[in-house]
Amino acid sequence: MELHDVWFVLIAVLWTGYFFLEGFDFGVGILTKLLARDRPERRVLINTIGPVWDGNEVWLLTAGGATFAAFPEWYATLFSGFYLPLLLILVCLIVRGVAFEYRAKRPEENWQRNWETAIFWTSLLPAFLWGVAFGNIVGGVKIDQDFEYVGNAWDLLNPHALLGGLVTLTLFTFHGAVFTALKTVGDIRERARKLALKVGLAAAVFASVFLLWTQIDSGDAKSLVALVVAVGALVAALVANQAGREGWSFALSGVTIVAAVAMLFLTLFPNVMPSTLDENWSLTVTNASSSPYTLKIMTWCAGIATPIVLLYQGWTYWVFRKRIGTQHIAEAVH
């Protein structure tokens, strides 16, 4: 296996980790409006992801940086062609981080309610837009002979991509609801499980149609296996949720995300951005990659740094592993 193939796999792993981890905290952010009935319950939801949300975003930074270094042509075409949706995602992530930090800085109800509304919208929009982006990447976009995107923003809003957005939106919300049930106690836990069933059923429908559509367009035997695993794990997660086995349900919803992302990258390889104008103009792991020397240096750096990051993030989750409820929310002191 060549180094550019290795880095394609590593970037797929980074995106998988990002969607697994950021997926549930996007879901929790959405649930601040759908599930929480009052301010103490919204504080409970926010506190479940408070220690980890910023660490989860590191996976996105690493995935973007790895793409820039390993596949600069892919990075350039992707970020120029998808400029508007990616800019909107970036603005949402910035506002979302500010909202988490500033929400409790002042006691006024309007102040806190406005930041909580910002958390909701800046969780919902990226959850939808990431699906739109990857729906376009896998389905193909208008790339010319110079490997430049020649379409416009409206071309990105095609049925396949929009369905992909609905998949990530509902799947992340389900993932977040299961995580909430796993991390809370009392009435909010029970309501999270009930909401997880409703959202999970919608996610199962959207995901089945989207993944099957993708499989028919560009799949093979390997991607078909990943599709079956993704749908099967989602159904099993719904069953575990109904049985009150939140740990199993969360693990299985995570398997769903991992298998679904794996399926998308399997259908993509060896392309990184297929061209709908001419398949010979598609960006591939070969024509979009950096030099072998660059990839070799990157491999050494990743081999040293990655285990340290994984150990630290795993330790963070272990420290903040206990359930919380409204009884653990103290009155804010200003």
Side-chain angles (χ1 to χ4, degrees), residues 74-86:
W74 182 15
Y75 182 93
T77 304
L78 176 65
F79 279 81
S80 59
F82 292 23
Y83 181 81
L84 287 178
L86 292 179

Side-chain angles (χ1 to χ4, degrees), residues 70-323:
F71 299 99
E73 195 73 54
W74 182 15
Y75 182 93
T77 304
L78 176 65
F79 279 81
S80 59
F82 292 23
Y83 181 81
L84 287 178
L86 292 179
L87 177 62
L88 182 55
I89 290 173
L90 178 60
V91 171
C92 284
L93 294 179
I94 293 171
V95 173
R96 189 168 181 264
V98 173
F100 280 127
E101 298 296 337
Y102 276 63
R103 183 190 61 84
K105 296 298 184 182
R106 290 171 57 178
E108 291 88 349
E109 183 176 350
N110 285 342
W111 171 271
Q112 296 193 3
R113 184 173 60 247
N114 289 338
W115 285 120
E116 288 164 358
T117 300
I119 290 173
F120 169 76
W121 285 109
T122 56
S123 299
L124 185 148
L125 288 174
F128 176 74
L129 290 173
W130 279 127
V132 173
F134 271 82
N136 278 291
I137 291 173
V138 174
V141 290
K142 296 178 179 179
I143 299 176
D144 66 9
Q145 66 272 22
D146 296 320
F147 303 129
E148 294 181 359
Y149 178 71
V150 293
N152 54 54
W154 295 111
D155 292 331
L156 303 178
L157 301 179
N158 56 78
H160 182 262
L162 292 174
L163 180 58
L166 291 176
V167 171
T168 51
L169 177 60
T170 54
L171 188 56
F172 290 170
T173 305
F174 171 71
H175 198 40
V178 173
F179 179 79
T180 299
L182 178 65
K183 287 287 293 180
T184 58
V185 294
D187 181 57
I188 193 171
R189 174 187 177 190
E190 297 302 318
R191 284 187 282 115
R193 285 175 50 202
K194 292 179 181 178
L195 182 60
L197 174 62
K198 297 176 182 178
V199 178
L201 289 173
V205 173
F206 290 138
S208 298
V209 175
F210 175 76
L211 294 179
L212 185 59
W213 186 348
T214 305
Q215 174 67 25
I216 292 172
D217 276 352
S218 52
D220 56 16
K222 293 179 181 178
S223 61
L224 180 60
V225 172
L227 185 157
V228 173
V229 171
V231 175
L234 183 52
V235 173
L238 287 167
V239 173
N241 176 72
Q242 283 301 99
R245 303 297 297 272
E246 291 100 343
W248 278 104
S249 185
F250 179 72
L252 288 166
S253 68
V255 171
T256 301
I257 293 174
V258 171
V261 177
M263 188 245 175
L264 296 182
F265 276 92
L266 284 169
T267 59
L268 192 60
F269 186 82
N271 295 321
V272 292
M273 282 190 77
S275 173
T276 57
L277 300 179
D278 188 327
E279 64 179 15
N280 294 318
W281 298 343
S282 298
L283 288 168
T284 68
V285 293
T286 304
N287 63 27
S289 69
S290 293
S291 67
Y293 182 74
T294 299
L295 296 178
K296 184 176 180 180
I297 297 298
M298 289 175 61
T299 304
W300 278 104
C301 293
I304 295 170
T306 302
I308 298 173
V309 173
L310 292 176
L311 285 172
Y312 175 77
Q313 192 163 24
W315 176 77
T316 302
Y317 277 93
W318 175 256
V319 169
F320 295 100
R321 67 188 181 277
K322 292 185 178 180
R323 296 177 182 266

